[in-house]
Amino acid sequence: MTYSTAKSTSRRVATAFTLIEAVMSILVVGLMLVAVLNTLGASKLSQMRNTEQSLGPMLAQDLMTEILNQHYMEPATTGTFGLEGENATVRTDWDDVDDYDGWSSTPPQDRNGTDLPGMDGWGRKVTVTWADAADLNSTSGSANGIKRIDVTVTHNGQPITTLSSLRTSGWPDKTPVVNVLLVVIDSASLTSQEQLRQTLMESWGFVVEPITASDSQTAFDDAAARNDVVYVCEAISSGDLNTKLLDATIGVVCEEPYLDDEFGFTDTFELYDKKKVYIVDNSHFITEGFAVDKLEILSSNSELSRIIGGLGGGVDVLAQTDHDDEHVLVVIETGRGLFGGGVAAGRRVQLPWGGGSFDGSLLNDDGKLLMKRAIAWAADKEEALDVP
């Protein structure tokens, strides 16, 4: 019995010691887990703050650059403070800095009113005031030639950064920007070829507003009034656009050869595959700087368009096919005669390329330069060619 009692006591002691070890282990693991979770939480918080510190100023600078590139005052009038009849939600036709006063968007939007991707929780707002000449951090109750612009970026409702700039009446306005009305199949969903053209124009500093070819005459009249030039993509249906731009007083640059007759160039054309044209007139702004010679405008053959019918009385030929005398790049100055009668209400350009299989990505640097110069000339803003 004594042996048995001793053995039983030994077992109880051993069991008690094991429980203590288990409790201590749980405590240690718990403390370590808390430490790990705290470390992870601090890391995530630090990562979020780093993102805010880098992305916040970028969003502010992006919008501030857009604002500072506008006129000091409404160009057409002496101007009131704020919008002067422009669309209150889409910034494409805002043209002076105080148009932005009071504007805000969550999430941030581009000039066309499209939400920037991946920006949930972020927001931007703008305040424009008259600055006090004696204390630029204070506001003035009346016009004095100095406007203060404040762009504030928020994240999850909390201010992240505020960027402030001053715009004065003595600051010369920038080189004129060309506002392009881009005629596409569906402005709500651009094709890859249409997007390629928009991106290219925006890389030149042009401001692009897409419009659906089948939109109403009223929609085209309103859009033409706030833009400098129209660019017609080749993929649209000529029947959708028809004569909606015939009387437009702004310039028109056209890729679609099936509109040759509507715009008064000719009544007959044909498509062919080549990559070169022959410059026959380099005295015109569009072809200035190119030699009177063959010019490669594509990196490989694609669908071009040549005129094989008669020309309107006011049509000037700048380039022909590289193997015969058929015309591929033609222009009409405002007020000059159209094929079939009448005169051009604005400058008109028919580009050398067109047809459903034409690939705009094949345009080389010379082809892109022809396109850029054609847009600037048709817009009557040749000086805008120097915009980066």
Side-chain angles (χ1 to χ4, degrees), residues 123-138:
R124 295 188 294 192
K125 61 181 180 180
V126 183
T127 302
V128 183
T129 57
W130 299 113
D132 188 333
D135 181 5
L136 297 176
N137 290 317
S138 301

Side-chain angles (χ1 to χ4, degrees), residues 246-272:
L246 178 61
D247 297 323
T249 56
I250 64 173
V252 177
V253 179
C254 187
E255 292 183 342
E256 175 53 72
Y258 287 94
L259 290 167
D260 276 353
D261 52 347
E262 279 82 1
F263 288 124
F265 295 111
T266 185
D267 62 344
T268 313
F269 73 93
E270 68 178 12
L271 302 174
Y272 70 109

Side-chain angles (χ1 to χ4, degrees), residues 203-351:
S203 74
W204 298 331
F206 299 168
V207 177
V208 181
E209 177 188 352
I211 187 171
T212 301
S214 60
D215 277 356
S216 67
Q217 181 69 61
T218 299
F220 269 88
D221 291 344
D222 290 345
R226 59 177 178 264
N227 285 280
D228 304 306
V229 63
V230 183
Y231 191 95
V232 182
C233 293
E234 56 80 22
I236 69 157
S237 168
S238 59
D240 285 341
L241 183 60
N242 205 356
T243 58
K244 293 171 190 171
L245 293 170
L246 178 61
D247 297 323
T249 56
I250 64 173
V252 177
V253 179
C254 187
E255 292 183 342
E256 175 53 72
Y258 287 94
L259 290 167
D260 276 353
D261 52 347
E262 279 82 1
F263 288 124
F265 295 111
T266 185
D267 62 344
T268 313
F269 73 93
E270 68 178 12
L271 302 174
Y272 70 109
D273 280 349
K274 280 285 185 177
K275 64 178 181 179
K276 295 180 180 179
V277 298
Y278 193 98
I279 302 295
V280 296
D281 180 359
N282 63 358
S283 65
H284 194 278
F285 174 81
I286 295 176
T287 48
E288 189 178 76
F290 295 111
V292 175
D293 199 351
K294 290 183 179 180
L295 178 68
E296 190 169 294
I297 60 173
L298 304 177
S299 58
S300 63
N301 287 351
S302 192
E303 204 165 35
L304 302 182
S305 171
R306 57 190 174 196
I307 293 173
I308 59 176
L311 293 175
V315 175
D316 291 320
V317 179
L318 305 184
Q320 296 177 332
T321 53
D322 69 340
H323 57 285
D324 53 36
D325 296 331
E326 292 164 348
H327 313 311
V328 295
L329 174 60
V330 293
V331 300
I332 308 175
E333 180 60 271
T334 305
R336 305 230 10 225
L338 303 176
F339 184 88
V343 297
R347 288 178 168 180
R348 305 288 183 253
V349 181
Q350 179 64 48
L351 292 170

Side-chain angles (χ1 to χ4, degrees), residues 68-73 75 167-176:
L68 291 175
N69 273 327
Q70 308 307 321
H71 295 277
Y72 173 78
M73 190 67 75
R167 182 73 154 86
T168 69
S169 57
W171 181 1
D173 283 326
K174 62 189 175 84
T175 301

